[in-house]
């Protein structure tokens, strides 16, 4: 989508600190990190939110989970633990309308969230 900042990051029209990329998935550092490790994992194709995942896109969600696990190992947070979060909609805290998962770790993460 032309006015979507994450689509612009995928297209290279906006800069990002990439940590992983393949044909379908991109992962990059969050611009405003909430933990020592804070990576955003997104599908390259524009999907507005978790509510907009089509049946045929479900393998993409698997690919995102595989990426999250691999990055958790690579970034050294797999053993101590981490959090994989999707915020959906206004009350869910979603501020960018392109499906993304936060991979957070490197400190103790409180529960429940605010
Ligand atoms: P949400 O609140 O939608 O779950 O998460 C959006 C996340 O995107 C926030 O954590 C915010 O810091 C991050 N973010 C917003 N704009 C940019 C940007 O231009 N670049 C990067 N790397 N992260 C962004
Ligand atoms: Zn987009």
């Amino acid at each position: 989508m032309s006015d979507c900042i994450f689509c612009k990051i995928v297209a290279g029209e906006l800069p990002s600190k990439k940590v992983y990329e393949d044909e379908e998935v991109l992962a990059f550092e969050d611009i405003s990190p909430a933990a020592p490790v804070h990576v955003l994992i997104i599908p390259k194709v524009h999907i507005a939110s978790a509510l907009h995942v089509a049946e045929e896109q479900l393998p993409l969600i698997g690919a995102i989970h595989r990426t999250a696990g691999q990055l958790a190992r690579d970034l050294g947070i797999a053993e101590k633990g981490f959090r994989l979060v999707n915020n959906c909609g206004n009350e869910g805290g979603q501020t960018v309308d392109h499906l993304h998962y936060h991979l957070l770790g490197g400190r103790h993460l409180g529960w429940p969230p605010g």
Side-chain angles (χ1 to χ4, degrees), residues 4-5 7 9 18 20 27 36 42 44 46 50-51 53 55 59 69 71 75 80 85 91 107 112-113:
C4 169
I5 55 171
C7 282
I9 285 174
K18 291 181 188 176
Y20 176 81
I42 71 171
K44 286 189 168 177
H46 183 84
L51 286 174
V53 181
E55 189 75 20
L71 283 175
L75 298 172
K80 282 193 169 177
V85 177
E91 289 200 358
R107 66 170 173 83

Side-chain angles (χ1 to χ4, degrees), residues 3-76:
D3 61 344
C4 169
I5 55 171
F6 287 179
C7 282
K8 285 183 178 164
I9 285 174
V10 169
E13 293 164 13
L14 280 178
S16 70
K17 290 185 182 169
K18 291 181 188 176
V19 294
Y20 176 81
E21 180 171 20
D22 63 28
E23 279 185 10
E24 328 178 273
V25 175
L26 177 67
F28 52 97
E29 290 181 13
D30 195 292
I31 204 168
S32 178
V37 173
H38 189 171
V39 170
L40 300 173
I41 308 171
I42 71 171
K44 286 189 168 177
V45 65
H46 183 84
I47 299 173
S49 84
L51 286 174
H52 297 79
V53 181
E55 189 75 20
E56 64 270 20
Q57 291 172 323
L58 290 175
L60 193 48
I61 306 305
I64 287 171
H65 270 256
R66 180 179 59 212
T67 301
Q70 193 56 52
L71 283 175
R73 288 183 203 98
D74 293 348
L75 298 172

